Amino acid sequence: MSVPSPLRSESKLIAQMKTEEMLTHTLRITANENVFDPKYHVLADKINDLAISIGKDIWEANGIRVNNNPEHWRIRHGLQDRACRHFNDLLYLIGLAKKTYHLRSRKFYAWINKVTEARDYTRKWRDSDVSKYGHLGSD
């Protein structure tokens, strides 16, 4: 028997897929020298490093199977938390890039939307995991 669509839970892979979309979008934007002047490469490098770090954390967390193991839960939850914090740092840097590189509003908001969408799915995944495995951290 199938589960009615309103009762289905969202795929745990959506956070990873949205993060990868955000990451590739970020790398493409920052590689465009018509937009990101190479003389300000330090900011573009920080943006890329942070986006890659987020993608790596999500990838690693998704590969950890908790199986009621408190240590696995601690590591996975830590990676999810760090990714969520880094999403906020990334939003700050993108805002700084808008001012530094005079990004057009349309390009800026499309980029921000990709980051916030990935962040929101990651938060939902983390919150779902807390409901499922949070009891493992109370020992």
Side-chain angles (χ1 to χ4, degrees):
M1 175 183 274
S2 66
V3 177
S5 59
L7 299 177
R8 292 182 197 149
S9 63
E10 294 181 42
S11 169
K12 303 300 182 211
L13 294 177
I14 292 178
Q16 185 171 337
M17 290 175 4
K18 293 296 181 181
T19 299
E20 288 173 5
E21 287 175 19
M22 175 277 302
L23 176 54
T24 57
H25 185 78
T26 297
L27 294 173
R28 284 187 188 124
I29 287 178
T30 57
N32 184 346
E33 292 183 0
N34 294 324
V35 177
F36 278 75
D37 188 334
K39 70 181 177 186
Y40 299 116
H41 70 89
V42 172
L43 181 55
D45 291 347
K46 286 189 181 300
I47 289 169
N48 287 335
D49 289 346
L50 195 54
I52 290 168
S53 177
I54 291 167
K56 186 176 173 284
D57 285 347
I58 298 295
W59 178 268
E60 189 176 344
N62 196 39
I64 296 171
R65 299 295 164 239
V66 175
N67 295 330
N68 287 321
N69 181 319
E71 181 64 13
H72 290 176
W73 164 241
R74 186 188 63 74
I75 294 168
R76 179 168 159 151
H77 188 67
L79 290 165
Q80 291 168 329
D81 277 346
R82 184 168 63 190
C84 288
R85 286 192 313 275
H86 284 172
F87 274 119
N88 291 330
D89 296 342
L90 184 59
L91 289 169
Y92 167 75
L93 293 177
I94 292 170
L96 189 58
K98 181 183 186 339
K99 295 172 188 159
T100 304
Y101 299 108
H102 308 291
L103 297 176
R104 287 179 286 158
S105 290
R106 194 180 67 140
K107 185 178 288 281
F108 170 73
Y109 287 113
W111 193 5
I112 289 292
N113 285 337
K114 287 201 177 287
V115 174
T116 56
E117 184 178 36
R119 180 195 63 192
D120 292 347
Y121 276 107
T122 299
R123 285 179 175 170
K124 287 178 187 176
W125 173 39
R126 180 191 61 188
D127 294 346
S128 171
D129 273 7
V130 167
S131 296
K132 193 187 290 185
Y133 304 117
H135 68 280
L136 296 173
S138 60
D139 291 342

